[in-house]
Amino acid sequence: MKLSRIKSFFTLIALWTLTLALLPSGSSGQPVRGRRAMVASQHEIASRIGVDIMKKGGNAVDAAIAVGLALAVVYPEAGNIGGGGFMLIRKANGDTHAIDYREMAPKGATRNMFLGKNGQMISGEGSPTIGYRAAGVPGTLAGFELAFNRHGSGKVRWADLVRPSRVVAQQGFELSHRQADLFRTHNESLSRYSESKRVFLNAGQLYTGGDNFRQPDLGRTLERIESGGAKEFYSGVTARMIADDMKANSGLMNLDDLKAYVAKERTPVRGTYRGHEIISMPPPSSGGVVMLNALNILEGYDLRGMEFGSSGKHHLMTEAMRRAFADRSEHMGDPDYTDIPAAALIDKKYAEQRRSTIDRNKATTSSEIGHGSVVSRESMDTTHF
């Protein structure tokens, strides 16, 4: 099996030149402008925490880490410390860095673990998205700590980044009507497990907008991470709690999996679109390669000369993305386990070949689109299970 990275909910972009002005809640009309920097996130509390970190001397990376931790508390539908993501950093001097902290499959994962006896994909409990066996080894905290150590300002401590989120988890925050409704909407799935029912469904007494939402267990976890760093999560009390819970519920992740997790710094992918430089995440993220692939195809058309919102413009964009995603399905994967022909996929000449297959007057069905021909090989030094 190719131990592919498991999809996560949280993608983090940190820019060296960002942060300080805060987007007010519910603002509209004129855009908000900051003279020096700006923080933007899905929740006002998280954004304010990021602002405060920079006021203490932290840079954008420090602020991004603090915001990411805060979102784990105030935006649980997407923020996490039990998942993973990517961080793309561009410093003021132009240096760029990509940090990969996506989840990894535990060593106990097997090729057919999500297939039933009939060879069909399992649905419900035990499927790729539901249950203990679906969980990957979390990467968020390892990635945050790597970014902090290599690219942080050095003017704030790790504890300074964790403490605000720990306090919010312990003291609680006012739950919005949207979040309360979201918990209700997912009542059935959250009721599957006693802990998710207790935390997010208030043990059956459903939350309403305006309630104070406290998460004391998460607060205690953050308290341990505040004092012990990411190491605590991967080899300390928290790690043992995760491993014990996994074992008790037929999960695959164990203490060795947690201890073995390593976040990695990778080289960003680069390209251009009509003279503008684009810097994006490399594999195992497919986003950067897919985006550049599609833009290279579109570069051959006079989109500016086409009417805004016209069917012709949408047709070309759709056809370009069809081809980019067909390439994604065939060629993308985890660079730790297979060679990814990223450079070939974002080459301008390759885009010319793909562009030549587009009929401007007829849509191609997705089932007809095949992947392009690029040089790709897998190392014979890699083993698959």
Side-chain angles (χ1 to χ4, degrees):
M1 173 186 176
K2 296 180 181 179
L3 298 181
S4 59
R5 308 286 178 121
I6 298 175
K7 188 175 181 181
S8 71
F9 296 103
F10 181 65
T11 301
L12 180 64
I13 298 178
L15 298 177
W16 207 249
T17 53
L18 284 183
T19 14
L20 232 155
L22 174 65
L23 288 172
S25 177
S27 63
S28 61
Q30 292 297 314
V32 175
R33 293 177 171 84
R35 293 182 62 186
R36 298 177 60 188
M38 184 173 289
V39 173
S41 80
Q42 286 292 104
H43 202 286
E44 182 176 354
I45 291 176
S47 296
R48 289 191 182 280
I49 286 174
V51 168
D52 290 342
I53 290 299
M54 278 194 295
K55 286 181 176 179
K56 293 178 179 179
N59 61 21
V61 172
D62 297 324
I65 294 168
V67 169
L69 292 167
L71 289 172
V73 179
V74 300
Y75 200 67
E77 61 268 39
N80 70 83
I81 59 170
F86 300 114
M87 183 182 292
L88 183 63
I89 302 168
R90 183 184 183 279
K91 297 184 178 181
N93 63 4
D95 289 347
T96 60
H97 305 269
I99 299 178
D100 166 16
Y101 52 96
R102 288 296 300 271
E103 303 95 323
M104 291 290 291
K107 291 182 179 179
T110 60
R111 181 182 181 88
N112 298 321
M113 59 185 282
F114 296 123
L115 299 181
K117 293 180 180 180
N118 58 359
Q120 298 298 309
M121 185 75 71
I122 297 171
S123 61
E125 187 72 26
S127 72
T129 58
I130 300 175
Y132 280 76
R133 296 172 70 84
V137 183
T140 295
L141 287 164
F144 284 179
E145 190 169 75
L146 176 63
F148 174 74
N149 290 334
R150 292 189 183 179
H151 305 292
S153 66
K155 297 179 180 179
V156 292
R157 300 175 304 156
W158 171 263
D160 296 328
L161 308 185
V162 184
R163 186 177 303 109
S165 300
R166 185 258 298 168
V167 171
V168 175
Q170 291 174 336
Q171 296 182 356
F173 66 98
E174 184 177 313
L175 200 64
S176 69
H177 289 280
R178 185 198 65 80
Q179 286 179 305
D181 289 343
L182 189 66
F183 292 167
R184 290 173 179 270
T185 299
H186 292 280
N187 189 328
E188 181 178 350
S189 58
L190 291 171
S191 295
R192 287 178 179 269
Y193 310 101
S194 59
E195 285 302 293
S196 58
K197 181 176 181 179
R198 178 180 65 84
V199 174
F200 298 110
L201 300 178
N202 199 20
Q205 304 298 314
L206 298 182
Y207 287 105
T208 59
D211 286 347
N212 185 54
F213 182 44
R214 294 179 62 251
Q215 300 167 86
D217 290 336
L218 177 57
R220 284 188 285 272
T221 299
L222 289 170
E223 188 171 26
R224 292 191 294 271
I225 294 167
E226 179 183 338
S227 59
K231 181 179 180 180
E232 200 288 322
F233 184 88
Y234 292 97
S235 60
V237 172
T238 303
R240 291 192 291 274
M241 292 172 68
I242 293 172
D244 288 346
D245 192 45
M246 282 283 169
K247 184 176 181 179
N249 291 278
S250 301
L252 299 177
M253 195 187 315
N254 58 37
L255 195 56
D256 288 339
D257 291 318
L258 289 161
K259 289 180 178 179
Y261 185 89
V262 178
K264 298 180 180 179
E265 191 161 330
R266 302 188 186 275
T267 302
V269 293
R270 291 174 176 266
T272 62
Y273 180 69
R274 304 186 192 278
H276 298 283
E277 184 181 22
I278 297 173
I279 303 168
S280 191
M281 280 299 305
S285 168
S286 63
V289 173
V290 168
M291 175 177 63
L292 288 167
N293 187 334
L295 289 176
N296 285 341
I297 294 172
L298 291 171
E299 199 170 36
Y301 301 105
D302 180 19
L303 296 180
R304 185 185 292 273
M306 302 178 72
E307 183 180 352
F308 175 77
S310 66
S311 59
K313 179 180 286 189
H314 283 297
H315 169 67
L316 292 177
M317 294 173 66
T318 300
E319 293 296 304
M321 287 188 282
R322 275 195 176 118
R323 284 153 179 79
F325 276 93
D327 286 340
R328 174 185 184 271
S329 296
E330 174 66 20
H331 298 297
M332 299 302 291
D334 189 333
D336 289 340
Y337 295 92
T338 186
D339 286 341
I340 311 297
L345 292 171
I346 62 176
D347 186 85
K348 300 288 187 182
K349 291 184 178 180
Y350 176 70
E352 291 178 7
Q353 180 264 316
R354 296 295 271 163
R355 190 185 308 121
S356 69
T357 67
I358 295 177
D359 186 337
R360 298 191 65 160
N361 299 308
K362 180 182 178 181
T364 313
T365 61
S366 295
S367 59
E368 292 179 288
I369 296 295
H371 60 83
S373 177
V374 296
V375 177
S376 176
R377 67 177 183 84
E378 290 191 0
S379 169
M380 295 304 292
D381 296 328
T382 300
T383 184
H384 307 285
F385 297 90

